[in-house]
Amino acid sequence: MAGPTLRDVAKRANVSIRTVSNVVNGYAPVSAELRARVQVALDELDYRPNLIARNLKQGRTGMIALVVPELDVPYFAELAREVITAARAHGYVVMVDQTDGDGERERELLGRDSRATMFDGLLLSPLTVSAEELRARGNRIPIVLLGEHIFNGSFHHVAIDNVAAARDATAHLLGLGRRRVAAIGDQPYATGETAQLRTAGYRQALARAGLEADERLIVSTRHFHRRLGAEAMESLLALPEPPDAVFCYNDLLALGAMRTLTRAGRRIPDDVAVVGIDDIEEGQYSTPSLTTVAPDKGEIARRAVDTLLESINGSAAAPAEIVVPHRLIVRESTAGE
Protein backbone atom coordinates (compact mmCIF):
# COMPACT_ATOMS: atom_id res chain seq x y z
CA MET A 1 0.00 0.00 0.00
CA ALA A 2 1.40 3.41 -1.02
CA GLY A 3 2.11 5.91 1.71
CA PRO A 4 0.39 9.28 2.07
CA THR A 5 1.13 11.91 -0.58
CA LEU A 6 1.44 15.69 -0.47
CA ARG A 7 -2.13 15.81 -1.79
CA ASP A 8 -3.33 13.74 1.19
CA VAL A 9 -1.54 16.04 3.65
CA ALA A 10 -2.93 19.15 1.93
CA LYS A 11 -6.46 17.77 2.12
CA ARG A 12 -6.07 16.88 5.83
CA ALA A 13 -4.65 20.35 6.67
CA ASN A 14 -7.06 22.16 4.34
CA VAL A 15 -4.22 23.98 2.56
CA SER A 16 -2.76 23.93 -0.94
CA ILE A 17 -0.29 21.30 -2.11
CA ARG A 18 2.24 24.12 -2.68
CA THR A 19 1.98 25.13 0.99
CA VAL A 20 2.65 21.57 2.12
CA SER A 21 5.63 21.38 -0.25
CA ASN A 22 7.03 24.64 1.12
CA VAL A 23 6.78 23.33 4.69
CA VAL A 24 8.35 19.97 3.85
CA ASN A 25 11.19 21.41 1.78
CA GLY A 26 11.68 24.73 3.54
CA TYR A 27 11.51 26.58 0.24
CA ALA A 28 9.53 29.67 1.23
CA PRO A 29 8.29 31.45 4.35
CA VAL A 30 5.06 30.01 5.72
CA SER A 31 3.11 31.55 8.58
CA ALA A 32 3.43 29.93 11.97
CA GLU A 33 -0.29 29.05 11.99
CA LEU A 34 -0.17 27.32 8.60
CA ARG A 35 3.13 25.57 9.40
CA ALA A 36 1.65 24.18 12.63
CA ARG A 37 -1.47 22.97 10.82
CA VAL A 38 0.59 21.23 8.14
CA GLN A 39 2.89 19.68 10.74
CA VAL A 40 -0.08 18.18 12.59
CA ALA A 41 -1.31 16.64 9.33
CA LEU A 42 2.17 15.32 8.52
CA ASP A 43 2.38 13.68 11.95
CA GLU A 44 -1.15 12.25 11.83
CA LEU A 45 -0.60 10.70 8.40
CA ASP A 46 3.01 9.66 9.23
CA TYR A 47 4.14 11.29 5.98
CA ARG A 48 7.69 10.49 4.84
CA PRO A 49 9.16 12.53 1.97
CA ASN A 50 10.47 10.64 -1.04
CA LEU A 51 14.11 11.69 -0.70
CA ILE A 52 15.19 9.94 -3.90
CA ALA A 53 12.59 11.79 -5.97
CA ARG A 54 13.44 15.08 -4.27
CA ASN A 55 17.15 14.67 -4.92
CA LEU A 56 16.62 13.74 -8.56
CA LYS A 57 14.43 16.80 -9.05
CA GLN A 58 17.11 19.03 -7.51
CA GLY A 59 19.94 17.36 -9.43
CA ARG A 60 21.48 15.93 -6.26
CA THR A 61 22.54 12.51 -5.06
CA GLY A 62 21.58 12.80 -1.39
CA MET A 63 25.11 11.76 -0.45
CA ILE A 64 28.14 13.55 0.95
CA ALA A 65 31.70 12.23 1.14
CA LEU A 66 34.02 12.09 4.14
CA VAL A 67 37.68 11.61 3.23
CA VAL A 68 40.31 11.17 5.96
CA PRO A 69 43.96 10.08 5.94
CA GLU A 70 43.63 6.75 7.79
CA LEU A 71 40.45 4.94 8.76
CA ASP A 72 42.30 2.51 11.03
CA VAL A 73 43.31 5.42 13.28
CA PRO A 74 40.60 5.32 15.97
CA TYR A 75 40.12 9.10 16.06
CA PHE A 76 39.04 9.14 12.41
CA ALA A 77 36.82 6.08 12.84
CA GLU A 78 35.07 7.71 15.80
CA LEU A 79 34.76 11.00 13.91
CA ALA A 80 33.25 9.15 10.93
CA ARG A 81 30.57 7.68 13.19
CA GLU A 82 29.67 11.17 14.40
CA VAL A 83 29.57 12.53 10.84
CA ILE A 84 27.26 9.71 9.75
CA THR A 85 24.92 10.48 12.67
CA ALA A 86 24.90 14.21 11.91
CA ALA A 87 24.27 13.66 8.20
CA ARG A 88 21.50 11.12 8.82
CA ALA A 89 19.57 13.75 10.77
CA HIS A 90 19.38 15.73 7.51
CA GLY A 91 18.47 12.74 5.36
CA TYR A 92 21.95 12.38 3.87
CA VAL A 93 24.06 9.26 3.38
CA VAL A 94 27.83 9.43 3.91
CA MET A 95 30.43 7.83 1.65
CA VAL A 96 33.71 7.28 3.51
CA ASP A 97 37.14 7.01 1.91
CA GLN A 98 40.79 7.38 2.93
CA THR A 99 43.80 8.93 1.23
CA ASP A 100 46.56 7.19 3.22
CA GLY A 101 48.02 10.70 3.52
CA ASP A 102 48.88 10.53 -0.19
CA GLY A 103 49.01 13.96 -1.81
CA GLU A 104 48.22 12.59 -5.27
CA ARG A 105 45.08 10.94 -3.95
CA GLU A 106 43.98 14.22 -2.35
CA ARG A 107 44.62 16.10 -5.61
CA GLU A 108 42.78 13.46 -7.64
CA LEU A 109 39.68 13.94 -5.50
CA LEU A 110 39.84 17.70 -5.89
CA GLY A 111 40.44 17.52 -9.64
CA ARG A 112 37.48 15.30 -10.47
CA ASP A 113 34.83 16.66 -12.82
CA SER A 114 31.91 17.59 -10.55
CA ARG A 115 29.53 15.89 -13.01
CA ALA A 116 31.34 12.59 -12.46
CA THR A 117 31.10 12.52 -8.67
CA MET A 118 28.61 10.50 -6.69
CA PHE A 119 28.24 13.05 -3.90
CA ASP A 120 26.94 16.59 -3.40
CA GLY A 121 29.67 17.85 -1.08
CA LEU A 122 32.98 16.85 0.46
CA LEU A 123 34.32 16.80 4.03
CA LEU A 124 38.08 16.51 3.65
CA SER A 125 40.85 16.12 6.21
CA PRO A 126 43.90 16.93 4.05
CA LEU A 127 47.56 16.45 4.86
CA THR A 128 49.39 17.77 1.80
CA VAL A 129 47.30 19.99 -0.47
CA SER A 130 47.87 23.73 -0.21
CA ALA A 131 45.36 26.58 -0.14
CA GLU A 132 46.49 27.50 -3.66
CA GLU A 133 45.76 23.99 -4.92
CA LEU A 134 42.33 24.06 -3.33
CA ARG A 135 41.51 27.39 -4.93
CA ALA A 136 42.65 26.08 -8.32
CA ARG A 137 40.75 22.79 -8.11
CA GLY A 138 39.02 21.64 -11.24
CA ASN A 139 35.52 21.34 -9.77
CA ARG A 140 33.20 23.43 -7.69
CA ILE A 141 31.93 20.73 -5.35
CA PRO A 142 31.12 22.33 -1.98
CA ILE A 143 33.89 21.50 0.48
CA VAL A 144 34.50 21.81 4.22
CA LEU A 145 37.96 21.10 5.58
CA LEU A 146 38.69 19.23 8.81
CA GLY A 147 41.85 18.93 10.86
CA GLU A 148 44.71 21.28 11.47
CA HIS A 149 46.14 22.03 8.03
CA ILE A 150 46.36 25.86 8.03
CA PHE A 151 44.20 27.70 5.48
CA ASN A 152 43.96 31.20 7.02
CA GLY A 153 40.20 31.58 6.60
CA SER A 154 40.17 30.90 2.85
CA PHE A 155 37.77 27.95 3.21
CA HIS A 156 35.20 26.59 5.61
CA HIS A 157 37.41 24.84 8.16
CA VAL A 158 36.44 23.06 11.40
CA ALA A 159 39.12 22.20 13.99
CA ILE A 160 40.15 22.52 17.61
CA ASP A 161 42.72 25.03 18.87
CA ASN A 162 45.74 22.74 18.83
CA VAL A 163 48.08 25.22 20.48
CA ALA A 164 45.69 25.62 23.41
CA ALA A 165 45.04 21.87 23.63
CA ALA A 166 48.76 21.09 23.83
CA ARG A 167 49.33 23.91 26.28
CA ASP A 168 46.59 22.56 28.54
CA ALA A 169 48.02 19.02 28.42
CA THR A 170 51.54 20.20 29.25
CA ALA A 171 50.34 22.60 31.95
CA HIS A 172 48.51 19.69 33.61
CA LEU A 173 51.78 17.75 33.86
CA LEU A 174 53.66 20.78 35.15
CA GLY A 175 50.90 21.32 37.70
CA LEU A 176 51.68 17.88 39.11
CA GLY A 177 55.18 19.10 39.95
CA ARG A 178 56.86 17.40 36.98
CA ARG A 179 59.80 19.33 35.55
CA ARG A 180 61.30 17.09 32.85
CA VAL A 181 58.30 16.95 30.57
CA ALA A 182 58.96 15.25 27.22
CA ALA A 183 56.97 15.63 24.00
CA ILE A 184 56.41 12.80 21.52
CA GLY A 185 55.11 13.50 18.02
CA ASP A 186 56.81 16.59 16.60
CA GLN A 187 56.89 16.72 12.78
CA PRO A 188 59.15 19.59 11.61
CA TYR A 189 58.28 19.44 7.92
CA ALA A 190 55.73 20.90 5.52
CA THR A 191 52.88 18.43 6.13
CA GLY A 192 53.36 18.31 9.91
CA GLU A 193 51.27 21.35 10.79
CA THR A 194 49.16 19.62 13.44
CA ALA A 195 52.31 18.46 15.23
CA GLN A 196 53.95 21.87 14.89
CA LEU A 197 50.97 23.57 16.51
CA ARG A 198 51.11 21.08 19.39
CA THR A 199 54.85 21.66 19.80
CA ALA A 200 54.14 25.39 19.99
CA GLY A 201 51.59 24.80 22.76
CA TYR A 202 54.05 22.57 24.61
CA ARG A 203 56.72 25.26 24.45
CA GLN A 204 54.28 27.94 25.61
CA ALA A 205 53.34 25.94 28.70
CA LEU A 206 57.00 25.45 29.61
CA ALA A 207 57.73 29.15 29.13
CA ARG A 208 54.77 30.15 31.31
CA ALA A 209 56.17 27.88 34.03
CA GLY A 210 59.57 29.55 33.73
CA LEU A 211 61.22 26.50 32.16
CA GLU A 212 63.39 26.23 29.07
CA ALA A 213 62.62 23.48 26.60
CA ASP A 214 65.22 20.72 26.56
CA GLU A 215 65.43 19.81 22.87
CA ARG A 216 66.50 16.26 23.76
CA LEU A 217 63.05 15.74 25.28
CA ILE A 218 61.23 16.58 22.01
CA VAL A 219 61.03 13.43 19.87
CA SER A 220 59.78 13.48 16.27
CA THR A 221 57.63 10.72 14.78
CA ARG A 222 56.69 10.28 11.14
CA HIS A 223 53.15 9.18 12.04
CA PHE A 224 50.97 9.19 15.16
CA HIS A 225 51.03 5.40 15.60
CA ARG A 226 51.45 3.15 18.67
CA ARG A 227 54.73 1.60 17.52
CA LEU A 228 56.36 4.98 17.02
CA GLY A 229 55.22 6.10 20.47
CA ALA A 230 56.82 3.01 21.96
CA GLU A 231 60.09 3.58 20.09
CA ALA A 232 60.18 7.26 21.05
CA MET A 233 59.72 6.35 24.72
CA GLU A 234 62.64 3.91 24.49
CA SER A 235 64.90 6.70 23.28
CA LEU A 236 63.75 8.98 26.09
CA LEU A 237 64.42 6.34 28.75
CA ALA A 238 67.95 5.97 27.38
CA LEU A 239 68.78 9.61 28.21
CA PRO A 240 71.12 10.29 31.18
CA GLU A 241 68.19 12.19 32.73
CA PRO A 242 64.94 10.57 31.54
CA PRO A 243 61.68 12.50 31.71
CA ASP A 244 59.28 12.36 34.64
CA ALA A 245 56.31 13.10 32.38
CA VAL A 246 55.47 12.88 28.69
CA PHE A 247 52.96 14.71 26.53
CA CYS A 248 52.06 12.62 23.47
CA TYR A 249 50.52 14.31 20.45
CA ASN A 250 47.75 11.74 20.22
CA ASP A 251 46.42 8.84 22.27
CA LEU A 252 47.97 6.14 20.07
CA LEU A 253 51.46 7.54 20.70
CA ALA A 254 50.61 7.65 24.41
CA LEU A 255 49.45 4.02 24.45
CA GLY A 256 52.68 2.96 22.76
CA ALA A 257 54.73 5.01 25.23
CA MET A 258 52.92 3.42 28.19
CA ARG A 259 53.67 -0.04 26.81
CA THR A 260 57.39 0.78 26.80
CA LEU A 261 57.24 2.24 30.31
CA THR A 262 55.48 -0.86 31.64
CA ARG A 263 58.00 -3.20 29.99
CA ALA A 264 60.85 -1.14 31.48
CA GLY A 265 59.40 -1.45 34.97
CA ARG A 266 58.51 2.25 35.26
CA ARG A 267 55.41 3.03 37.26
CA ILE A 268 52.72 5.20 35.69
CA PRO A 269 52.17 7.88 36.92
CA ASP A 270 54.55 7.59 39.91
CA ASP A 271 57.72 7.54 37.82
CA VAL A 272 56.39 8.97 34.55
CA ALA A 273 53.01 10.64 34.02
CA VAL A 274 51.46 10.42 30.53
CA VAL A 275 48.94 12.57 28.65
CA GLY A 276 47.55 12.15 25.11
CA ILE A 277 45.12 13.93 22.81
CA ASP A 278 41.95 12.61 21.08
CA ASP A 279 40.01 10.76 23.82
CA ILE A 280 39.69 7.55 21.82
CA GLU A 281 37.67 4.81 23.50
CA GLU A 282 40.73 2.56 23.84
CA GLY A 283 42.28 5.05 26.28
CA GLN A 284 39.41 4.62 28.72
CA TYR A 285 40.17 0.90 29.08
CA SER A 286 43.97 0.85 28.97
CA THR A 287 45.90 -0.01 32.14
CA PRO A 288 46.29 2.56 33.52
CA SER A 289 43.51 4.52 31.86
CA LEU A 290 44.82 7.43 29.83
CA THR A 291 44.54 11.10 30.70
CA THR A 292 43.74 12.94 27.48
CA VAL A 293 42.64 16.17 25.86
CA ALA A 294 39.24 15.48 24.32
CA PRO A 295 38.12 17.34 21.21
CA ASP A 296 34.34 17.53 20.96
CA LYS A 297 34.04 15.09 18.04
CA GLY A 298 30.25 15.33 18.01
CA GLU A 299 30.41 19.11 17.69
CA ILE A 300 33.09 18.90 14.99
CA ALA A 301 30.82 16.59 12.99
CA ARG A 302 27.68 18.67 13.49
CA ARG A 303 29.34 21.97 12.59
CA ALA A 304 31.07 20.45 9.56
CA VAL A 305 27.93 18.75 8.22
CA ASP A 306 25.72 21.80 8.84
CA THR A 307 28.21 24.07 7.07
CA LEU A 308 28.56 21.68 4.14
CA LEU A 309 24.79 21.37 3.68
CA GLU A 310 24.45 25.15 3.80
CA SER A 311 27.06 25.34 1.04
CA ILE A 312 25.19 22.73 -1.01
CA ASN A 313 21.97 24.73 -0.60
CA GLY A 314 23.69 28.02 -1.42
CA SER A 315 23.00 29.56 1.99
CA ALA A 316 26.44 29.33 3.62
CA ALA A 317 28.11 32.39 5.08
CA ALA A 318 31.57 33.49 3.97
CA PRO A 319 34.35 30.93 4.59
CA ALA A 320 35.52 30.94 8.18
CA GLU A 321 37.59 29.09 10.75
CA ILE A 322 35.23 27.27 13.12
CA VAL A 323 37.00 26.44 16.39
CA VAL A 324 35.42 23.63 18.39
CA PRO A 325 36.05 23.31 22.15
CA HIS A 326 38.22 20.72 23.90
CA ARG A 327 38.57 19.61 27.51
CA LEU A 328 41.10 17.82 29.66
CA ILE A 329 39.94 14.44 31.02
CA VAL A 330 42.08 13.31 33.95
CA ARG A 331 42.49 9.56 34.38
CA GLU A 332 44.94 7.16 36.03
CA SER A 333 47.96 7.89 33.84
CA THR A 334 48.42 11.18 35.69
CA ALA A 335 46.17 10.89 38.74
CA GLY A 336 46.93 7.34 39.88
CA GLU A 337 44.28 4.88 40.99
Side-chain angles (χ1 to χ4, degrees), residues 85-329:
T85 299
R88 185 184 297 133
H90 294 277
Y92 268 79
V93 173
V94 181
M95 300 171 58
V96 182
D97 199 356
Q98 68 177 22
T99 63
D100 297 309
D102 178 18
E104 289 307 310
R105 172 63 175 151
E106 293 178 356
R107 294 180 187 92
E108 187 272 328
L109 277 168
L110 296 171
R112 248 182 222 171
D113 186 329
S114 57
R115 293 168 298 182
T117 60
M118 298 176 62
F119 46 85
D120 301 323
L122 174 62
L123 299 175
L124 174 64
S125 181
L127 288 184
T128 65
V129 294
S130 65
E132 290 72 26
E133 288 174 312
L134 281 165
R135 278 191 287 269
R137 69 189 190 273
N139 61 56
R140 286 279 139 323
I141 297 171
I143 185 170
V144 173
L145 302 173
L146 305 172
E148 285 63 51
H149 208 34
I150 299 171
F151 296 101
N152 298 317
S154 303
F155 302 91
H156 297 293
H157 181 209
V158 183
I160 65 169
D161 183 337
N162 271 278
V163 175
R167 190 171 59 235
D168 291 347
T170 308
H172 171 63
L173 295 170
L174 294 169
L176 298 174
R178 310 303 170 107
R179 286 299 175 264
R180 288 190 57 76
V181 179
I184 295 177
D186 189 34
Q187 295 176 343
Y189 42 82
T191 59
E193 288 169 310
T194 298
Q196 292 163 27
L197 291 170
R198 293 178 184 179
T199 299
Y202 163 79
R203 292 182 183 277
Q204 284 183 13
L206 292 176
R208 291 184 181 186
L211 299 173
E212 289 189 16
D214 182 341
E215 301 302 321
R216 295 172 300 174
L217 295 179
I218 303 175
V219 183
S220 298
T221 63
R222 185 69 187 174
H223 302 285
F224 288 178
H225 294 168
R226 297 173 186 84
R227 177 178 59 82
L228 298 178
E231 292 173 356
M233 195 69 244
E234 288 176 2
S235 69
L236 288 167
L237 291 180
L239 292 173
E241 293 182 77
D244 57 7
V246 58
F247 161 50
C248 297
Y249 289 17
N250 82 340
D251 286 353
L252 292 184
L253 290 171
L255 292 168
M258 290 201 300
R259 171 69 172 170
T260 292
L261 289 168
T262 300
R263 287 171 63 90
R266 306 299 173 93
R267 298 169 300 165
I268 309 169
D270 305 71
D271 299 324
V272 184
V274 182
V275 176
I277 290 184
D278 280 348
D279 188 30
I280 62 173
E281 186 176 19
E282 187 178 346
Q284 299 178 41
Y285 299 100
S286 61
T287 304
S289 57
L290 178 62
T291 293
T292 187
V293 175
D296 190 336
K297 292 187 279 286
E299 183 67 6
I300 291 172
R302 286 187 292 273
R303 296 295 297 275
V305 168
D306 287 350
T307 302
L308 183 61
L309 296 186
E310 288 169 1
S311 295
I312 291 170
N313 294 324
S315 59
E321 298 284 335
I322 301 172
V323 179
V324 173
H326 64 269
R327 64 191 178 99
L328 179 72
I329 300 177

